[in-house]
Amino acid sequence: MAAKASLKHRLTLDDIGDKLQYISGKSAVHRLWKFHHACSAAAVEAIPTNNTFTWIHPAPTNWWAAYDGGCGCSYKFKLWFGPAKSVWWISNSWRDYLDRACIALRERPCSEAVTNQAILRPAYEATMCDRCRKRTCGLSEFSHYLGEEVERVVSEVRGAFASFFDILADF
């Protein structure tokens, strides 16, 4: 439980380096760091670089609707959702959210990292047309789907570190 709880916090030498001298069981801390690092790597992969979100299924709401990107906003990005790879165009504000989410997951590999208002707010505040603004309303819901996927992939890492948790329990 402690290892899982650590995922909600940054675990870098910048944060704990000076305190290491006071910690007995440094090998357990090293294993915790390795676990945190492995979870970070898995969490970041929940945001695919090829923009294909096969783990999410299009919902019957306006923001998932197929859209040709023909508004006056700046460059659009094409995403694919679900097994059928439904096409969905997103504005820069969504792409920027995904970039911020990636950075946040490197430090804190948990669902809270991608559903946090500080990560979402800049997308809502970005300049865009009314059409894109309407679609931005779905970002919060999307962030929850992303958070669920992050928790799923991180739980698979936890399974691979099962013996580590046994060692921590003895520690």
Side-chain angles (χ1 to χ4, degrees):
M1 287 184 349
K4 181 180 177 185
S6 78
L7 299 178
K8 295 180 181 183
H9 303 281
R10 292 180 57 193
L11 190 60
T12 66
L13 287 179
D14 293 337
D15 296 329
I16 64 169
D18 290 337
K19 298 172 185 118
L20 284 176
Q21 63 183 325
Y22 305 111
I23 297 175
S24 60
K26 291 175 185 147
S27 64
V29 173
H30 181 254
R31 286 190 298 272
L32 179 61
W33 176 82
K34 283 177 63 173
F35 168 70
H36 198 280
H37 186 72
C39 288
S40 294
V44 167
E45 288 182 15
I47 302 174
T49 56
N50 68 357
N51 294 337
T52 303
F53 293 80
T54 55
W55 48 263
I56 196 166
H57 298 281
T61 60
N62 289 339
W63 62 276
W64 287 115
Y67 173 60
D68 64 3
C71 68
C73 290
S74 52
Y75 187 74
K76 301 284 186 234
F77 297 91
K78 191 187 281 189
L79 300 182
W80 293 269
F81 290 96
K85 295 186 179 176
S86 302
V87 175
W88 186 45
W89 291 88
I90 60 169
S91 68
N92 282 335
S93 64
W94 277 73
R95 182 72 249 168
D96 293 344
Y97 160 75
L98 292 172
D99 292 342
R100 285 190 306 279
C102 250
I103 292 167
L105 289 171
R106 284 187 191 104
E107 294 181 350
R108 297 176 40 235
C110 62
S111 62
E112 288 87 348
V114 297
T115 58
N116 175 323
Q117 285 303 310
I119 297 292
L120 290 165
R121 188 176 304 112
Y124 298 130
E125 295 171 347
T127 302
M128 65 189 85
C129 71
D130 290 341
R131 211 172 185 184
C132 289
R133 173 116 11 244
K134 183 177 179 182
R135 293 172 63 78
T136 302
C137 293
L139 186 58
S140 178
E141 186 177 351
F142 174 81
S143 75
H144 287 284
Y145 283 121
L146 178 57
E148 289 172 5
E149 179 64 5
V150 165
E151 292 298 325
R152 186 191 70 74
V153 298
V154 166
S155 72
E156 290 175 1
V157 173
R158 283 197 306 263
F161 274 78
S163 62
F164 162 70
F165 292 128
D166 294 336
I167 292 168
L168 272 184
D170 293 338
F171 180 69

